[in-house]
Amino acid sequence: MNKPTHISLAHGNGGRYMRELIDTLFAKHLANPDLNTENDSVILNLQQKNIAFTTDGFTVDPLEFPGGTIGSLAIHGTVNDLAVAGATPKYLSLNAFIEEGLSFEKLERIVIDMANAAKKAGVSIVTGDTKVVPKGEGAGVFFATTGIGYLHPGVNLGMSKIQVGDKILVSGTIGDHGTAVMLAREQFGLSGDLLSDSAAVFPLTQSILELEGLHFMRDATRGGLASVANEIARATKMEVYLNETEIPVNDQVQSLCEILGYDPYYLACEGRVVAVIRNDQADEVLKRWQAIENGENARIIGEIKQGSAAVILATELGGERYLEELEDDPLPRIC
Amino acid sequence: MNKPTHISLAHGNGGRYMRELIDTLFAKHLANPDLNTENDSVILNLQQKNIAFTTDGFTVDPLEFPGGTIGSLAIHGTVNDLAVAGATPKYLSLNAFIEEGLSFEKLERIVIDMANAAKKAGVSIVTGDTKVVPKGEGAGVFFATTGIGYLHPGVNLGMSKIQVGDKILVSGTIGDHGTAVMLAREQFGLSGDLLSDSAAVFPLTQSILELEGLHFMRDATRGGLASVANEIARATKMEVYLNETEIPVNDQVQSLCEILGYDPYYLACEGRVVAVIRNDQADEVLKRWQAIENGENARIIGEIKQGSAAVILATELGGERYLEELEDDPLPRIC
């Protein structure tokens, strides 16, 4: 019998086809000493009891885009949530909801991209589950990844630590992921050579963790920089004041936003850290970040001020405008 | 502005609607001291370093069925994987992939059912993520849950411990879940009062964990009892010998299988444990299980024999037949 070329419902039934799908595709590429495909649970002997735990779902359309696929995105999204909490990402679980009719070839490219991202991020996928949904009740594949990371000793980050006078930094250009995915959608009839910023941010977070003035970190994903800023303003009831001239935006992102009427501050990133740090240590963060990969374009972009719980953008033209909380979604299925 | 009655794409955008969906529905019903909806990661101070870790995805159709919903199923599926590994389920993460157009009312019923199941199972949902997919690219809602459980000290279970002469037990009637879901599908034009067996099995597994002759446990889910038996046969290269007359099957399940030509051994359960134990302790398991809820119909259903790696069923009529590994899926979207 020939090996099937496309996913069928039988690949989700708990029997032979499912076992073969797991063995010949997922386990083959994601192999590591802790991965256990024989039992439904894996036994882990953790090195410490203080952990960070997080989960993320991925529905990006298209599944492959310049700079990544839904496979690498599913690694980066979850390891980044651990990293900004001050943890070292260690173990991941993987759920795949695969649509009947997806080609094995495409699924394999995605799983290989996932395996490479996991390896580079230093995490192991140790347990997983696959479900197959009938054609028309999915969109190729959705992933969910859940991660365990070892919390850095002494780390104590949170919105409640943020103080008036703190500086706000971003580790690189914003909106690259949202724009790259948008360009990959044929509906826009546009093209470009912009790559998604999708990447693991652990080297960036690790480089500044021991600075005692570090108060808060967050990766800007869905809803972009503006959404992180609004979350800070809402939680702290302070003003988040951002300088447009300092916020790094790629020329292509800027141009595309002008053509389509989007605001780059709301576009998703998948490899950018926003950090809030005591005023006197902001330059040190900048120096450390600019010296490492994906931190070259880091900038101090604003500060925390006394005032109303709002996000104010000082514009290039010398005015000020509110960056409101996002309501309508300019770009669904971006991550 | 009126509260929306149905899910829209804006509920997945990272902005105000998503926050309201999480606050007024998920966090409201799933509230517990460890749940953290402000940060993307939750910090856990585990009581021990030896843990079981598992994940499961849920795509059941219909979302509500006699005896449960996809919400309670998403709790039971994952806590049961931890329980049969010899662990006490503690923490869960939750992913929801919600289809645009799902009614809030239905989603709320499902989340309340999930909250009740979590409470009864003694687990806390501590972190989560929601994504919204466009109408026609989902099926109401898919869930993925990932669990952490504390491994019982000294527990050492696995297929490699299974020996010739071991007895095989099942904790209750088989195929109830598969049949109840099937009856809930209008396409069959059938009805009945059968309930799914969906339940947390931890009380059953905990009751026998300290028996040193206990070699292996597994919850029979997708692919049913026959699939667990085939996994044992394949891994151990021994014969799994089952007695049809001892396997508990509800009358309604039996009748429906006869009408539709299904084999009950392949139908999904969601609250049944299969245990393999040293011959001399099988009666003790039976006694303990029959004394507790959901164990009343427990039976010793077979044994491990020297022989080929196959599953043999001794039939009621005195013959023998192979229970082959499942190939075609009789019932997709059952869990």
Side-chain angles (χ1 to χ4, degrees):
Chain A
M1 206 180 70
N2 291 325
K3 196 179 152 189
T5 57
H6 291 75
I7 296 287
S8 68
L9 286 174
H11 285 106
N13 69 2
R16 184 168 70 84
Y17 284 104
M18 189 177 87
R19 178 168 56 82
E20 287 177 1
L21 170 67
I22 292 171
D23 289 349
T24 65
L25 203 153
F26 286 97
K28 177 181 166 192
H29 296 296
L30 300 173
N32 66 73
D34 289 304
L35 177 64
N36 184 331
T37 60
E38 281 227 333
N39 290 317
D40 291 333
S41 292
V42 62
I43 305 302
L44 298 176
N45 295 304
L46 302 180
Q47 284 164 32
Q48 60 178 66
K49 293 178 185 173
N50 283 354
I51 63 166
F53 184 50
T54 192
T55 197
D56 215 344
F58 302 88
T59 64
V60 67
D61 168 37
L63 300 175
E64 300 173 290
F65 49 81
T69 72
I70 192 171
S72 48
L73 196 63
I75 301 296
H76 297 149
T78 292
V79 301
N80 289 351
D81 284 347
L82 297 172
V84 296
T88 304
K90 293 301 292 183
Y91 299 108
L92 294 186
S93 70
L94 171 67
N95 295 89
F97 296 89
I98 312 171
E99 189 186 15
E100 180 187 19
L102 180 68
S103 81
F104 266 93
E105 206 181 320
K106 190 171 196 172
L107 184 58
E108 186 157 38
R109 284 199 306 272
I110 289 168
V111 173
I112 290 172
D113 185 50
M114 171 182 280
N116 290 337
K119 194 173 175 188
K120 187 166 181 192
V123 290
S124 303
I125 293 171
V126 291
T127 188
D129 186 56
T130 57
K131 289 288 184 296
V132 177
V133 296
K135 199 162 176 63
E137 300 190 1
V141 64
F142 302 142
F143 288 126
T145 49
T146 305
I148 292 174
Y150 293 147
L151 200 64
H152 195 268
V155 76
N156 180 14
L157 304 174
M159 297 231 199
S160 62
K161 305 252 299 171
I162 295 174
Q163 312 256 324
V164 169
D166 282 358
K167 294 290 185 191
I168 304 163
L169 292 97
V170 68
S171 64
T173 52
I174 61 164
D176 297 21
H177 176 72
T179 308
V181 170
M182 191 159 52
L183 288 172
R185 290 185 189 165
E186 291 171 5
Q187 68 195 91
F188 290 99
L190 297 164
S191 65
D193 54 9
L194 185 79
L195 299 182
S196 164
D197 56 279
S198 179
V201 301
F202 179 64
L204 293 163
T205 58
Q206 190 188 29
S207 73
I208 61 170
L209 261 190
E210 38 94 24
L211 297 175
E212 83 283 3
L214 182 65
H215 291 156
F216 178 73
M217 293 191 290
R218 175 67 59 89
D219 53 330
T221 58
R222 261 186 297 186
L225 173 65
S227 294
V228 176
N230 270 283
E231 284 175 50
I232 295 171
R234 200 174 51 247
T236 61
K237 305 199 188 336
M238 299 175 197
E239 185 179 293
V240 176
Y241 194 86
L242 302 176
N243 296 306
E244 188 164 41
T245 51
E246 293 303 319
I247 300 174
V249 183
N250 254 309
D251 289 346
Q252 282 191 68
V253 173
Q254 194 66 58
S255 306
L256 204 85
C257 282
E258 282 164 17
I259 293 168
L260 295 173
Y262 291 156
D263 197 333
Y265 309 114
Y266 293 91
L267 293 183
C269 317
E270 287 292 342
R272 303 301 184 214
V273 183
V274 175
V276 182
I277 191 158
R278 213 174 57 209
N279 184 10
D280 64 308
Q281 292 191 316
D283 288 332
E284 182 62 28
V285 173
L286 197 63
K287 197 179 86 181
R288 294 187 186 191
W289 276 2
Q290 287 181 341
I292 57 181
E293 191 187 358
N294 289 326
E296 303 86 347
N297 297 312
R299 294 287 183 279
I300 299 171
I301 59 169
E303 64 188 302
I304 304 294
K305 291 188 175 183
Q306 201 109 40
S308 61
V311 181
I312 311 278
L313 183 76
T315 67
E316 283 183 288
L317 302 172
E320 287 183 352
R321 68 175 170 106
Y322 284 100
L323 289 182
E324 303 280 359
E325 189 175 12
L326 185 62
E327 294 231 347
D328 288 321
D329 195 355
L331 283 174
R333 305 271 314 278
I334 209 73
C335 62
Chain B
M1 206 178 71
N2 290 325
K3 199 182 153 188
T5 57
H6 291 75
I7 296 287
S8 68
L9 287 174
H11 286 106
N13 69 1
R16 184 168 70 84
Y17 283 105
M18 189 177 88
R19 177 169 56 80
E20 287 177 359
L21 170 67
I22 292 171
D23 288 349
T24 65
L25 204 154
F26 286 98
K28 177 181 166 192
H29 296 296
L30 301 172
N32 67 72
D34 289 304
L35 177 64
N36 185 332
T37 59
E38 282 227 332
N39 290 315
D40 291 333
S41 293
V42 61
I43 305 302
L44 297 176
N45 294 304
L46 302 180
Q47 283 164 33
Q48 60 178 65
K49 294 178 184 172
N50 282 355
I51 63 165
F53 184 50
T54 191
T55 197
D56 213 345
F58 302 87
T59 64
V60 68
D61 169 35
L63 299 176
E64 299 174 288
F65 50 82
T69 72
I70 193 171
S72 48
L73 196 64
I75 301 296
H76 297 150
T78 292
V79 299
N80 289 351
D81 284 347
L82 296 172
V84 297
T88 303
K90 292 301 290 181
Y91 299 109
L92 294 186
S93 70
L94 171 68
N95 296 90
F97 295 89
I98 311 171
E99 189 186 15
E100 181 188 16
L102 180 67
S103 80
F104 266 92
E105 206 181 321
K106 190 172 196 171
L107 184 58
E108 186 157 39
R109 283 199 305 272
I110 290 168
V111 173
I112 289 171
D113 185 51
M114 171 182 279
N116 290 337
K119 196 173 173 188
K120 189 167 180 192
V123 290
S124 303
I125 294 171
V126 291
T127 188
D129 187 55
T130 57
K131 288 288 184 295
V132 177
V133 297
K135 199 161 178 63
E137 299 189 2
V141 64
F142 302 143
F143 287 127
T145 48
T146 305
I148 292 176
Y150 293 148
L151 200 64
H152 195 266
V155 76
N156 180 13
L157 303 174
M159 298 230 199
S160 62
K161 305 253 297 171
I162 295 174
Q163 311 256 323
V164 169
D166 282 357
K167 294 291 185 193
I168 304 163
L169 292 98
V170 69
S171 64
T173 53
I174 60 163
D176 297 19
H177 176 72
T179 308
V181 170
M182 191 161 49
L183 287 172
R185 289 185 190 166
E186 291 170 4
Q187 68 194 94
F188 289 100
L190 296 165
S191 65
D193 55 8
L194 186 78
L195 299 182
S196 164
D197 56 279
S198 178
V201 301
F202 179 64
L204 294 163
T205 59
Q206 188 188 31
S207 72
I208 61 170
L209 261 190
E210 39 94 24
L211 296 175
E212 82 285 2
L214 183 65
H215 291 156
F216 178 73
M217 294 191 290
R218 174 68 58 89
D219 55 329
T221 57
R222 262 187 296 187
L225 173 65
S227 294
V228 176
N230 269 283
E231 283 175 50
I232 295 172
R234 199 175 54 247
T236 61
K237 304 200 190 334
M238 299 175 198
E239 186 179 294
V240 176
Y241 193 86
L242 301 177
N243 296 306
E244 188 163 43
T245 51
E246 294 302 321
I247 299 173
V249 183
N250 253 310
D251 288 346
Q252 283 191 68
V253 173
Q254 194 66 55
S255 306
L256 204 85
C257 282
E258 282 164 17
I259 293 169
L260 296 173
Y262 291 155
D263 197 333
Y265 309 114
Y266 293 92
L267 293 183
C269 317
E270 287 292 342
R272 303 302 184 213
V273 182
V274 175
V276 183
I277 191 158
R278 213 175 58 208
N279 185 9
D280 63 308
Q281 293 191 317
D283 288 332
E284 182 62 26
V285 173
L286 196 63
K287 197 179 85 182
R288 294 186 186 192
W289 277 2
Q290 287 181 341
I292 57 180
E293 192 188 357
N294 289 326
E296 302 86 347
N297 296 313
R299 295 285 182 280
I300 299 171
I301 59 168
E303 64 189 303
I304 304 294
K305 291 188 174 185
Q306 202 109 40
S308 60
V311 181
I312 311 279
L313 183 76
T315 67
E316 283 184 287
L317 301 171
E320 287 183 351
R321 69 175 170 105
Y322 285 100
L323 289 183
E324 304 279 1
E325 189 175 13
L326 186 63
E327 295 231 346
D328 288 321
D329 194 354
L331 284 174
R333 305 272 313 278
I334 209 72
C335 61

